[in-house]
Amino acid sequence: MKRRLVLKQLTAVSFLALSGWMPQALAADTIKVGILHSLSGTMAISETSLKDVALMTIEEINANGGVLGKKLEPVVVDPASNWPLFAEKARQLLAQDKVSVVFGAWTSVSRKSVLPVFKELNGLLFYPVQYEGEELEKNVFYTGAAPNQQAIPAVEYLMSEDGGGAKRFVLLGTDYVYPRTTNKILRAFLHSKGVKDSDIDEVYTPFGHSDYQTIVANIKKFSTGGRTAVISTINGDSNVPFYKELGNAGLKATDVPVVAFSVGEEELRGVDAKPLVGHLAAWNYFQSIKNPVNTAFIDKWKAYAKARNLPNASTVVTNDPMEATYIGIHMWKQAVEQAKTTDVDKVIDAMGGQTFTAPDGFTIQMDKTNHHLHKPVYIGEINADGQFDVVWKTKGPIRAQPWSPYIAGNENKQGL
């Protein structure tokens, strides 16, 4: 008799589940979130740590009660530095795994690959890396820098007396949309400052490129024509042989400074930093920034790496895209709690104006109209330990300009 009653109850529950209705007590007790980062291939050197810091942040949120009373359940996929595979994995996360949000992508070509999927399925993507701008999508929140929050200030610094007074510029990048579009903006900016095309050399290499001997030799030759600086948009593991070749060629920062937009503390873990002392990077965060929030962030990350036995856990570092990932996940949590739902459209409406006390030393705000963070800008010099000494910074966060004013036709495109 008892067995027959149990079977009837199970049958009733199964019917309710199949019909799409479940009592509250039986509803899903987790909220799935997707993590879409390359864990293999040329971009793994940069993206693996973003996956790990996302998992750390999710664990932190769960330890503090989760979101709307539910634990977050991460779903991790590896698009393997394969741009079409990014789209396939994004579709899997949204359509099959039914995640409420995705945190991921690094290169702009990977972001461009997944955009149609997020628009078609009305998914929500938080993108944590500096990029070229010229884009503003309803389904994306951009927690990395737009060009006016990184590239333009960096070049202004190089042209200043404090930055060395550069007159000639080598625009060196990986051959894809982010470096080419950023350099289009920078060339227009340099023209506005009176720099001629004959004083600009633009060079691209494929992903995974490893032989920089000829390129570095050409940079040395170009620099004989006047005070020269290199603006590097090299991405992925190609940064390691590039910086090694700078050291081999004896090209010091005092001769030709290099400012990088995609090299931070994580990438420098793989090279001897001593020959690179004085070369520059422009970001919105450095591990070396001194404030209590950053100290807690660094300590938390080091403890997590040790507890999870991450590779080289004793030498882990924090960097800008990791901080942007951390901010993005916490802001999404706040927006969900304000909206009282994970419904994408309602969360999007709640995101504008969210604030977060960030490791960069400021209370950061998500812009109310353009889906970008207001961010401070820092320029740092590489030191012998592979960290950065800040040599220039803005007084506070600046509003992003997704559509560069140096590109004709962008005058009325700043909001959604």
Side-chain angles (χ1 to χ4, degrees):
M1 179 67 181
K2 285 183 179 179
R3 181 172 179 273
R4 191 175 302 139
L5 179 61
V6 168
L7 286 172
K8 284 182 177 179
Q9 289 172 334
L10 287 172
T11 302
V13 169
S14 300
F15 173 77
L16 290 171
L18 288 170
S19 65
W21 184 90
M22 288 286 284
Q24 188 65 33
L26 294 172
D29 59 355
T30 64
I31 298 172
K32 288 185 177 181
V33 299
I35 301 175
L36 181 67
H37 282 301
S38 295
L39 310 179
S40 56
T42 188
M43 292 308 302
I45 185 175
S46 296
E47 293 193 62
T48 300
S49 61
L50 302 194
K51 177 266 294 184
D52 289 325
V53 82
L55 292 176
M56 179 197 79
T57 309
I58 289 167
E59 185 175 288
E60 175 187 343
I61 289 170
N62 284 342
N64 287 294
V67 180
L68 299 179
K70 298 181 179 184
K71 300 290 187 183
L72 299 181
E73 178 185 343
V75 182
V76 179
V77 295
D78 177 17
S81 307
N82 179 320
W83 318 134
L85 189 57
F86 263 88
E88 293 179 30
K89 293 296 185 180
R91 186 173 295 277
Q92 172 193 321
L93 288 171
L94 294 173
Q96 180 179 318
D97 297 312
K98 304 293 185 183
V99 301
S100 296
V101 63
V102 175
F103 301 95
W106 179 294
T107 68
S108 287
V109 67
S110 66
R111 188 190 71 257
K112 295 285 190 185
S113 175
V114 303
L115 281 180
V117 178
F118 280 87
K119 289 195 279 189
E120 175 194 341
L121 301 176
N122 198 31
L124 184 56
L125 173 67
F126 279 72
Y127 177 66
V129 185
Q130 87 293 342
Y131 82 120
E132 70 281 0
E134 307 307 299
E135 177 183 298
L136 196 54
E137 295 289 347
K138 167 181 173 285
N139 297 85
V140 182
F141 284 92
Y142 306 79
T143 58
N148 73 302
Q149 296 171 313
Q150 185 194 37
I152 297 295
V155 177
E156 287 179 322
Y157 176 76
L158 290 172
M159 299 178 80
S160 72
E161 185 177 346
D162 288 343
K167 306 295 184 185
R168 311 192 87 203
F169 298 87
V170 178
L171 309 182
L172 174 61
T174 303
D175 193 3
Y176 74 107
V177 61
Y178 162 62
R180 284 193 175 273
T181 306
T182 297
N183 288 337
K184 177 183 177 182
I185 293 167
L186 289 180
R187 186 179 285 270
F189 171 75
L190 290 169
H191 288 167
S192 76
K193 298 295 184 180
V195 179
K196 299 176 181 178
D197 280 328
S198 58
D199 288 319
I200 303 171
D201 189 22
E202 198 166 337
V203 182
Y204 296 97
T205 57
F207 277 103
H209 189 70
S210 60
D211 183 3
Y212 282 91
Q213 189 171 353
T214 300
I215 288 171
V216 170
N218 288 340
I219 291 170
K220 289 182 77 171
K221 184 178 179 181
F222 185 77
S223 70
T224 62
R227 182 65 173 158
T228 298
V230 177
I231 301 163
S232 172
T233 47
I234 296 172
N235 270 255
D237 54 13
S238 291
N239 278 296
V240 175
F242 171 61
Y243 278 96
K244 284 183 176 178
E245 185 56 37
L246 286 179
N248 293 340
L251 200 63
K252 296 181 173 61
T254 50
D255 304 321
V256 179
V258 176
V259 62
F261 300 157
S262 294
V263 172
E265 295 86 344
E266 182 68 18
E267 289 76 17
L268 290 178
R269 279 212 294 167
V271 300
D272 177 10
K274 292 181 183 65
L276 309 180
V277 168
H279 287 300
L280 304 161
W283 289 103
N284 313 104
Y285 165 88
F286 287 114
Q287 179 176 308
S288 60
I289 294 170
K290 305 296 184 188
N291 67 67
V293 177
N294 192 33
T295 299
F297 177 58
I298 295 166
D299 289 347
K300 198 177 305 177
W301 170 239
K302 288 182 176 180
Y304 179 86
K306 184 177 180 181
R308 295 293 174 273
N309 197 29
L310 299 184
N312 303 308
S314 63
T315 62
V316 293
V317 292
T318 57
N319 66 16
D320 180 293
M322 292 169 68
E323 191 223 21
T325 297
Y326 185 73
I327 293 170
I329 296 174
H330 275 287
M331 278 195 173
W332 170 81
K333 170 189 180 290
Q334 292 171 189
V336 168
E337 291 176 338
Q338 181 177 315
K340 298 181 172 58
T341 177
T342 58
D343 176 82
V344 167
D345 290 325
K346 292 178 180 177
V347 172
I348 289 173
D349 288 343
M351 272 297 299
Q354 291 293 335
T355 62
F356 184 73
T357 303
D360 62 30
F362 295 93
T363 297
I364 300 299
Q365 180 185 41
M366 179 60 70
D367 193 80
K368 293 180 180 179
T369 61
N370 72 17
H371 285 212
H372 287 68
L373 287 179
H374 296 201
K375 297 173 78 74
V377 185
Y378 294 95
I379 296 174
E381 284 187 353
I382 299 172
N383 64 34
D385 296 326
Q387 289 290 320
F388 292 86
D389 298 322
V390 175
V391 296
W392 183 89
K393 62 182 179 180
T394 53
K395 292 180 180 179
I398 60 175
R399 186 174 188 255
Q401 292 178 312
W403 305 98
S404 174
Y406 297 100
I407 300 295
N410 280 351
E411 293 79 12
N412 299 312
K413 292 183 177 179
Q414 293 308 324
L416 274 173

